[in-house]
Amino acid sequence: QDALIHADIALRQAKRVRENTACFEDMEDVSRQFELNILWSKKLKQAYAEQRIQPWFQPIVDTQTRRIVKYECLIRLLEKDGQVITPSEFLDIARQSLLYHKLSRLMIERCCQYFADKTYSFALNLSVSDLFNRETLNWLKENVKHYQVGERLVLELLEWESVTHYEQLASILEEIRQLGCRLAIDDFGSGYSNFRHLM
């Protein structure tokens, strides 16, 4: 009944592990993950349509003064029953769909809007692929200018492993700096060495 789906799963697995063949019968875990991905993809689309994707604001506190010095903006998915889902559950699925850049643009707008009338600095995570997406980059520039938050926005950049076009990225980062925004590398030193990217 599901032969075509099973064949497709086996094909993807064979490509992923770079083998000539893969047997679906040996792939229960892969099959379960495939089904889970489909479930989360549907759930994510529905949550986006129903505006249940929201920014949450985590305060960063000075340990000496105990005062809030800035906020970090974090994406969350709210289930219909009120349960809060962290991005570790859904962001990889979003990256595989057309929703990823929409989620980034949603976070950009909501966070800039929220901090427009506040004095705090705030940090927003964006991937390098967000910056190479011209629509998302333009959306960032428009919102930073509209809400006048450039001097208070820190962009924390993710996923440096994928960077190969350094000149293009340098040009994009200069556009962002012209807005007054500061730049940071998120999770510096974890995984792939960031020092080469900095150089």
Side-chain angles (χ1 to χ4, degrees):
Q1 181 178 333
D2 297 320
L4 193 58
I5 293 171
H6 294 172
D8 186 56
I9 293 171
L11 175 64
R12 289 168 190 251
Q13 176 66 2
K15 285 181 178 178
R16 193 177 69 79
V17 297
R18 296 182 181 177
E19 294 287 340
N20 291 329
T21 59
C23 180
F24 179 79
E25 288 177 1
D26 301 332
M27 295 166 49
E28 281 185 36
D29 289 345
V30 175
S31 178
R32 272 197 296 273
Q33 188 59 51
F34 187 76
E35 289 169 6
L36 197 60
N37 287 357
I38 291 172
L39 176 72
W40 270 105
S41 183
K42 288 178 181 174
K43 188 182 283 196
L44 191 56
K45 286 176 186 172
Q46 190 174 13
Y48 180 82
E50 295 173 359
Q51 298 188 352
R52 288 186 287 109
I53 307 284
Q54 298 180 355
W56 281 38
F57 307 109
Q58 176 176 291
I60 308 298
V61 178
D62 185 310
T63 56
Q64 300 295 317
T65 64
R66 304 286 183 188
R67 290 183 177 170
I68 296 170
V69 291
K70 71 174 184 176
Y71 283 86
E72 183 159 10
C73 305
L74 306 167
I75 191 168
R76 295 291 184 264
L77 184 153
L78 299 183
E79 293 276 33
K80 289 182 178 179
D81 63 3
Q83 183 184 359
V84 179
I85 308 296
T86 63
S88 61
E89 297 288 332
F90 63 85
L91 218 50
D92 281 343
I93 303 299
R95 284 191 184 100
Q96 297 168 33
S97 72
L98 298 174
L99 268 180
Y100 181 72
H101 292 298
K102 288 183 180 179
L103 296 182
S104 295
R105 291 193 285 272
L106 179 146
M107 284 293 290
I108 289 167
E109 181 177 23
R110 296 246 179 105
C111 295
C112 289
Q113 185 179 42
Y114 181 80
F115 284 98
D117 61 353
K118 295 171 180 58
T119 57
Y120 292 107
S121 292
F122 61 105
L124 183 61
N125 291 329
L126 287 182
S127 70
V128 171
S129 73
D130 284 319
L131 301 185
F132 280 118
N133 182 288
R134 185 44 67 173
E135 190 177 347
T136 301
L137 180 61
N138 288 340
W139 188 249
L140 171 68
K141 289 160 71 175
E142 286 170 25
N143 278 273
V144 166
K145 288 175 184 174
H146 178 74
Y147 292 108
Q148 299 181 337
V149 294
E151 299 295 326
R152 291 181 287 118
L153 175 57
V154 180
L155 291 177
E156 296 191 0
L157 303 181
L158 309 161
E159 297 164 1
W160 281 78
E161 307 88 273
S162 60
V163 178
T164 52
H165 301 89
Y166 289 103
E167 287 184 17
Q168 186 182 353
L169 180 61
S171 174
I172 290 167
L173 295 181
E174 185 56 34
E175 287 182 54
I176 291 169
R177 288 182 61 217
Q178 293 296 323
L179 299 169
C181 302
R182 286 172 289 160
L183 300 163
I185 297 178
D186 195 53
D187 294 333
F188 183 82
S190 66
Y192 198 86
S193 172
N194 295 114
F195 288 102
R196 184 171 66 85
H197 294 300
L198 279 177
M199 295 299 289

